[in-house]
Amino acid sequence: MTSDTIGVRKPLRIYCIEDNPLIVFHIEHLIEDAGHVLAGFADSFSQLKADPAATHIDGALVDIDLADGRTGPDAAAWLKERGIPSIFVTGQQDVANLYADRVIAVIIKPIVAEDFAGKIQRLERRI
Amino acid sequence: MSSSDLAEPGALDQVLILAPYRRDAAYLGQLLAEYDMGVATCISADELTAYLAAGPGVFVTTHEALTPTLIDIVARHLNAQPPWSDMPIVVLLDRASPNSRIRGQLAAAWPRSRQLFYQRPLTQVELVSGIQSALLARMRQREVRDHIEREIELRRELNHRVKNILASVFSIFEMTRRGATSVDGLADDFGARLTALSNVHSAVFEAKGEAISIAEIAQLTFDPYRQMGISRIDASGPSVMLTREAGTTLALCLHELTTNAIKYGALSVPNGQVAFHWDILPDLGPDLSVLWQETGGPPVVAPSRSGYGTRYLRAALGGLFGVKPDIMFATDGLRCEIKGPLARVACNPEAPDSVSGL
């Protein structure tokens, strides 16, 4: 970000890969609180790959266990190959640690708003 | 020796023979093979180490084969055994050997292990039945092991589900708090949403854990209100079994629709009606269609900003069906409709194994 631009940045388009709709719903609000938009969501890695909306995104929030199994790490790798940074959102710190190189941060569930906002700032700095 | 010589680790059904002198090993192997027992023989310390690591059912050895090095390898293996494991050891002595000294020595080197001693010459029947009995004992150990592994797996699954439910509750709380204008309102709405979650959890559990019908979900959602005298909800549709996750989501959606109808919609006035209908459309995939239609209520005004209910319905039904629901604030009554592949939400009774290991 150049310093002489006005302080308003374009909202990021953030995608959410999560199989619990209550959490998608919660995350949608937290994304909006941070001034960004939920670009779409999928409940599985396979749905992510099939979603045309998933190609025009700035970043993704990825749960580890999804509707098609423990495919969150695969989803993060898939996104990374496409140059899209991801953040794990999971209750399973130990599994997240195994795949730490695929993401730029980890948000531990239950999601705490301050932690969420801080991790989203890392995403902002990446873009 | 290649690794393919080793028995399948964990099978615990092979007889491992250490009898390097004369033709003992060949003779024993042939004898046990005649009784359909799987046999592996070893000579060197390296072989012994590798075969022990593969988890033999029974270890059979002649006493003269047991050099201090080999005794030590076996001792280390015995010490490293998991708590369920107790590898039986059959030791073949002979008449001329100092048997009480050998027994004392092995008891000291291999404390708390199951040792059977036979003095040669012995009959085939004696030896075979001794080894068979040791293998049977080993099979029981394997069952204990499998049981422990299942329990560990169940605990892991339970932990995962508890974490999930806590995360859900936390999200419900956070989102309810955002929409709340008073502490009482927050307490009422949060309590009602938790009750809805709890009811569907109990219903799924009672339905043997992995599937629940739409009719049951409708019943458990509407019954408390019917008992309060609100009986103007007509629920109907064919028998459709949903997965646990889909059932939970649908129950929470119905809760939002029902409470909204009671507060602001068709159920807030004496003559309002709600129709909740679902159907299978066989030509399309098949698809499942679900419709909530209110009539006879006060004129509907679309909210200026979406509340918990609407936003949850959009996220939840959208996630469930893979398409966005159609939520219309029509003046004559709220209408919420969604249609999507039945296979995404239905629990296939033909393939219960595909659901979960539970």
Side-chain angles (χ1 to χ4, degrees):
Chain A
M1 187 167 57
T2 53
S3 55
D4 57 350
T5 54
I6 52 168
V8 183
R9 82 167 33 243
K10 215 173 144 217
L12 299 181
R13 296 176 47 78
I14 302 174
Y15 198 89
C16 179
I17 305 146
E18 163 66 62
D19 66 342
N20 183 335
L22 277 166
I23 294 180
V24 174
F25 166 56
H26 186 189
I27 285 175
E28 180 183 10
H29 275 263
L30 293 169
I31 289 175
E32 288 173 9
D33 286 350
H36 304 300
V37 290
L38 179 70
F41 58 92
D43 68 0
S44 58
F45 181 34
S46 50
Q47 204 186 336
L48 166 75
K49 286 185 285 186
D51 187 354
T55 52
H56 306 290
I57 56 176
D58 300 311
L61 301 171
V62 184
D63 188 11
I64 284 181
D65 285 312
L66 298 167
D68 54 357
R70 181 159 287 179
T71 54
D74 298 336
W78 187 84
L79 289 162
K80 194 178 176 184
E81 276 171 29
R82 283 154 185 77
I84 299 165
S86 300
I87 297 175
F88 280 138
V89 183
T90 177
Q92 308 194 75
Q93 175 96 63
D94 50 339
V95 187
N97 291 343
L98 293 177
Y99 302 101
D101 56 327
R102 302 183 186 185
V103 294
I104 61 160
V106 179
I107 295 169
I108 295 297
K109 289 178 184 171
I111 304 166
V112 177
E114 292 73 24
D115 178 46
F116 187 92
K119 302 287 165 62
I120 290 293
Q121 278 172 12
R122 282 198 215 175
L123 192 62
E124 291 165 1
R125 287 197 289 271
R126 276 316 253 317
I127 309 300
Chain B
M1 184 182 65
S2 75
S3 63
S4 62
D5 294 336
L6 295 175
E8 176 77 25
L12 306 181
D13 55 1
Q14 206 174 33
V15 181
L16 176 61
I17 298 171
L18 176 70
Y21 302 113
R22 301 182 299 273
R23 288 191 23 82
D24 290 350
Y27 172 77
L28 276 169
Q30 200 180 351
L31 172 65
L32 299 179
E34 278 171 27
Y35 287 87
D36 291 329
M37 288 184 248
V39 175
T41 57
C42 58
I43 295 172
S44 69
D46 286 348
E47 280 180 344
L48 178 63
T49 307
Y51 275 110
L52 286 174
V58 182
F59 176 50
V60 180
T61 179
T62 53
H63 77 85
E64 64 272 22
L66 291 169
T67 62
T69 309
L70 298 186
I71 289 176
D72 189 49
I73 288 172
V74 173
R76 266 183 277 147
H77 175 74
L78 292 172
N79 281 332
Q81 290 181 114
W84 53 264
S85 178
D86 179 10
M87 180 182 72
I89 302 172
V90 174
V91 183
L92 304 177
L93 306 167
D94 64 38
R95 205 177 299 171
S97 55
N99 288 337
S100 60
R101 192 166 62 80
I102 293 170
R103 291 178 69 148
Q105 199 185 351
L106 293 182
W110 303 336
R112 296 191 311 278
S113 72
R114 187 189 296 255
Q115 298 169 24
L116 293 115
F117 292 91
Y118 291 99
Q119 186 169 297
R120 288 167 284 181
L122 75 166
T123 66
Q124 289 189 357
V125 174
E126 267 180 291
L127 180 64
V128 167
S129 69
I131 292 175
Q132 277 173 334
S133 141
L135 273 176
L136 274 177
R138 195 68 162 147
M139 288 299 105
R140 291 304 296 264
Q141 294 174 21
R142 187 170 73 175
E143 285 165 22
V144 171
R145 177 200 65 188
D146 293 348
H147 190 83
I148 292 170
E149 281 172 3
R150 264 199 306 281
E151 193 181 295
I152 291 169
E153 187 51 44
L154 280 173
R155 284 167 54 87
R156 195 175 291 136
E157 177 68 19
L158 182 66
N159 178 43
H160 181 59
R161 290 196 185 183
V162 167
K163 276 189 171 171
N164 243 334
I165 207 102
L166 285 176
S168 293
V169 169
F170 190 79
S171 292
I172 291 175
F173 177 74
E174 280 296 307
M175 298 313 296
T176 306
R177 192 166 67 116
R178 279 166 185 257
T181 48
S182 70
V183 174
D184 283 349
L186 165 64
D188 288 351
D189 290 351
F190 182 58
R193 284 170 181 147
L194 275 196
T195 305
L197 186 64
S198 165
N199 287 346
V200 69
H201 170 80
S202 303
V204 174
F205 180 78
E206 274 156 30
K208 298 287 175 285
E210 294 304 336
I212 186 164
S213 72
I214 299 182
E216 283 172 285
I217 290 164
Q219 196 183 352
L220 74 91
T221 307
F222 304 140
D223 265 4
Y225 299 108
R226 287 184 175 134
Q227 280 163 20
M228 288 157 58
I230 299 170
S231 56
R232 287 161 285 125
I233 309 173
D234 173 40
S236 65
S239 169
V240 177
M241 295 304 287
L242 300 180
T243 61
R244 179 166 50 87
E245 292 83 2
T248 303
T249 299
L250 183 65
L252 295 179
C253 289
L254 278 184
H255 169 76
E256 293 306 323
L257 285 164
T258 309
T259 50
N260 182 70
I262 289 169
K263 279 187 191 163
Y264 314 107
L267 300 178
S268 68
V269 296
N271 295 320
Q273 301 275 339
V274 170
F276 173 58
H277 293 312
W278 65 95
D279 206 354
I280 295 172
L281 310 173
D283 298 342
L284 301 164
D287 271 6
L288 173 66
S289 76
V290 178
L291 170 69
W292 173 277
Q293 170 76 66
E294 298 181 25
T295 50
V300 172
V301 182
S304 54
R305 87 179 234 290
S306 300
Y308 181 113
T310 317
R311 299 191 71 146
Y312 177 66
L313 287 173
R314 286 213 180 96
L317 293 175
L320 204 53
F321 286 86
V323 287
K324 289 206 166 77
D326 212 352
I327 301 173
M328 282 168 292
F329 295 94
T331 30
D332 57 335
L334 177 77
R335 183 183 168 91
C336 174
E337 190 174 14
I338 190 151
K339 205 183 299 178
L342 179 65
R344 280 180 70 95
V345 294
C347 195
N348 182 359
E350 269 79 52
D353 290 342
S354 68
V355 177
S356 153
L358 269 183

